Amino acid sequence: MLDEKIIELFFERSDQAINELDNKYGKVLHKLSYNILNDRRDAEECVNDSYLGVWNAIPPERPNPLLTFVCKIVRNISIKKYHAKTAAKRNSTYDVAMSEIENYIISPNNVEEEIDAKELAQIIEKFLDTLTVENRVIFMRRYWFSDTYKDIAERVGITEKIVSMRLTRIRKQMREYLMSKEVWV
Amino acid sequence: MSEQLFSEAMDELSDKYISEAIDYKVKKKEQNIILWVKRSVVAATIILAVGFGVLMVGDTEVRATVWRWVKEVYSGEWHKFSMDTDVKEAANLKYELGWIPEGMEFVTKFDIMGGESFIYTDEKELVIVFSYSTDPEYVFYMDSVDNIKEEVTINGMPGEIFITPSEEETNTIVWGDASIPVMFSFTAECDNETMIKVAESIKVIEVEDEE
């Protein structure tokens, strides 16, 4: 079913809207949540909570594209749940991705950062604009979607090894870019 | 900066980056990897032999004419070799290796655009791959991350040898003559001398008269 039609169902307050949304994007959304939580039941719960969030948001929202909108909700809810489960053992792809990036974002001088998330996002966006489309997608798939190297390799049509090397380079580039923007001080 | 701040910043990114990552899927025909050889399977390095006009995704950063070949580097990681030649048709020539390192045995061969690829392996499952093409539109892609490049001459033909610093990858020589036209590639986990010795052993095995 077309996204527009699904959105219309939300506007009509039809229960079918969630069914259609789940039919079309459920698999992608579950994977995104699972990548963060590493727990199928938790992922299921988050996706269902996200559907409720979408239900509450549409109307008045009429998101385009719909999948991006729902992915953002799923990621947000999943990360909140992830942080709520701090005592639990962390071994999700999200953990691995964040530990990868850790060495490239921690200030060497432990200077208290004054930058906020929105400001940092703008800088990251400018950095992303310097990358090729392919490298940008690799970065986003890893650090936004928490995809595995294997998933990224399949999507982009390169090997896992190349994905790994690309990400290493991108992280280095990002570190240099952030430093050039004095994000560290 | 903490991981949490980074993660929160990622949440704030414009939808366009998320949508791009959702929508991006490399076209099938762009995935023209004919062979990817790894040590765990059979050895390491690789040969990518693809048709003309099939481009890897990525901006061309360097373009240089090399021995009348056009070589391009994609994102600093892929070398693309093609022949800058006035010849319009493939030469009716076939080639094979005249010498291979001891212990190596022929496994299989398959057709590629205007030529053939040959695979040999040994008891240790190391692999060597030899390919050639006489099609003027043939394009050769090579993964060249961190490789050290040296210029070589093989049987009077100019070429380049790429030496990998990793033990898990293989070295590659690419050489040829655009006037024939022909392009060769040879990939193996061998030292330079052996690589060149194998490359120099190549011989024409068949010349067909077009008439």
Side-chain angles (χ1 to χ4, degrees):
Chain A
M1 181 179 284
L2 292 173
D3 286 0
E4 291 78 5
K5 182 61 187 167
I6 295 174
I7 290 170
E8 283 309 317
L9 289 173
F10 275 106
F11 269 79
E12 291 165 11
R13 312 313 287 164
S14 166
D15 292 343
Q16 188 62 20
I18 290 177
N19 290 338
E20 293 296 341
L21 182 66
D22 188 52
N23 287 341
K24 189 167 184 182
Y25 296 127
K27 204 173 166 184
V28 174
L29 300 172
H30 275 89
K31 179 157 177 46
L32 171 58
S33 185
Y34 179 78
N35 283 350
I36 295 166
L37 294 163
N38 199 36
D39 185 299
R40 300 210 178 277
R41 190 174 295 177
D42 286 346
E44 177 86 25
E45 210 173 287
C46 282
V47 171
N48 287 337
D49 288 349
S50 302
Y51 290 157
L52 183 60
V54 176
W55 179 264
N56 290 332
I58 308 173
E61 293 283 339
R62 194 179 281 275
N64 182 22
L66 177 61
L67 179 57
T68 301
F69 179 79
V70 185
C71 277
K72 288 181 78 169
I73 294 175
V74 169
R75 185 175 190 270
N76 195 279
I77 290 176
S78 300
I79 287 176
K80 274 185 184 163
K81 191 169 194 76
Y82 167 87
H83 287 301
K85 291 177 66 182
T86 48
K89 187 183 176 185
R90 293 179 171 186
N91 54 2
S92 66
T93 316
Y94 176 78
D95 287 313
V96 179
M98 285 302 111
S99 64
E100 276 173 13
I101 207 86
E102 187 179 16
N103 290 336
Y104 295 86
I105 59 173
I106 300 295
S107 169
N109 301 319
N110 289 325
V111 177
E112 187 80 21
E113 70 262 356
E114 293 178 2
I115 194 166
D116 65 21
K118 282 189 177 173
E119 201 179 342
L120 178 59
Q122 287 174 356
I123 296 171
I124 293 174
E125 284 181 357
K126 283 178 184 164
F127 167 70
L128 291 175
D129 290 338
T130 68
L131 302 178
T132 63
V133 174
E134 190 173 84
N135 283 346
R136 194 159 56 234
V137 168
I138 290 171
F139 181 89
M140 289 297 291
R141 293 304 315 189
R142 185 62 176 169
Y143 300 116
W144 203 93
F145 292 88
S146 303
D147 275 359
T148 62
Y149 285 8
K150 184 172 181 288
D151 289 338
I152 297 170
E154 285 172 5
R155 176 177 291 270
V156 179
I158 56 179
T159 66
E160 289 180 54
K161 178 182 158 248
I162 297 293
V163 170
S164 167
M165 284 190 283
R166 291 266 189 100
L167 283 169
T168 301
R169 287 182 180 183
I170 295 168
R171 288 194 298 268
K172 283 180 187 169
Q173 288 169 11
M174 188 181 75
R175 181 187 174 90
E176 285 165 11
Y177 190 87
L178 291 175
M179 290 178 81
S180 74
K181 300 296 174 190
E182 300 182 338
V183 168
W184 311 103
V185 294
Chain B
M1 186 200 310
S2 65
E3 290 172 27
Q4 190 169 345
L5 176 61
F6 176 78
S7 185
E8 285 170 8
M10 292 298 285
D11 279 340
E12 297 289 339
L13 292 182
S14 162
D15 287 0
K16 71 176 184 181
Y17 299 105
I18 302 159
S19 298
E20 182 180 60
I22 288 172
D23 296 337
Y24 187 90
K25 197 136 196 174
V26 68
K27 291 175 188 171
K28 280 287 176 193
K29 69 175 185 177
E30 289 172 341
Q31 299 185 40
N32 265 294
I33 298 177
I34 286 186
L35 186 63
W36 176 259
V37 187
K38 276 188 172 177
R39 175 183 268 178
S40 57
V41 183
V42 257
T45 302
I46 63 104
I47 280 183
L48 297 174
V50 296
F52 179 77
V54 179
L55 303 176
M56 296 296 295
V57 176
D59 293 336
T60 301
E61 293 178 353
V62 177
R63 175 181 282 268
T65 301
V66 183
W67 341 298
R68 295 183 64 209
W69 295 14
V70 177
K71 184 182 74 176
E72 294 169 283
V73 180
Y74 288 88
S75 303
E77 294 170 1
W78 295 92
H79 276 68
K80 172 194 169 189
F81 295 91
S82 56
M83 289 179 277
D84 181 16
T85 178
D86 295 331
V87 181
K88 300 295 181 195
E89 293 183 3
N92 286 317
L93 297 171
K94 288 193 174 184
Y95 298 86
E96 68 176 12
L97 292 180
W99 181 83
I100 54 172
E102 195 177 333
M104 284 284 174
E105 289 182 359
F106 173 76
V107 177
T108 187
K109 72 172 181 175
F110 53 91
D111 292 338
I112 62 172
M113 182 180 182
E116 298 172 297
S117 271
F118 299 77
I119 297 177
Y120 303 81
T121 190
D122 66 4
E123 286 179 348
K124 295 176 185 173
E125 294 190 329
L126 298 180
V127 160
I128 59 177
V129 184
F130 162 64
S131 302
Y132 73 88
S133 175
T134 60
D135 193 307
E137 294 186 338
Y138 175 73
V139 177
F140 177 81
Y141 284 104
M142 191 188 67
D143 169 16
S144 60
V145 177
D146 299 329
N147 284 354
I148 298 162
K149 184 188 75 175
E150 289 176 14
E151 293 189 357
V152 292
T153 301
I154 308 292
N155 298 333
M157 289 181 271
E160 289 179 350
I161 183 167
F162 293 84
I163 312 295
T164 173
S166 167
E167 290 184 358
E168 293 187 349
E169 294 179 23
T170 51
N171 302 328
T172 300
I173 309 182
V174 185
W175 75 104
D177 185 341
S179 66
I180 292 177
V182 65
M183 191 191 300
F184 300 101
S185 61
F186 173 64
T187 297
E189 194 172 349
C190 302
D191 56 62
N192 286 17
E193 276 187 22
T194 307
M195 293 285 292
I196 291 170
K197 185 176 177 182
V198 173
E200 288 180 336
S201 77
I202 285 168
K203 58 186 183 184
V204 178
I205 58 167
E206 186 177 335
V207 180
E208 292 176 2
D209 192 338
E210 284 185 17
E211 295 178 8

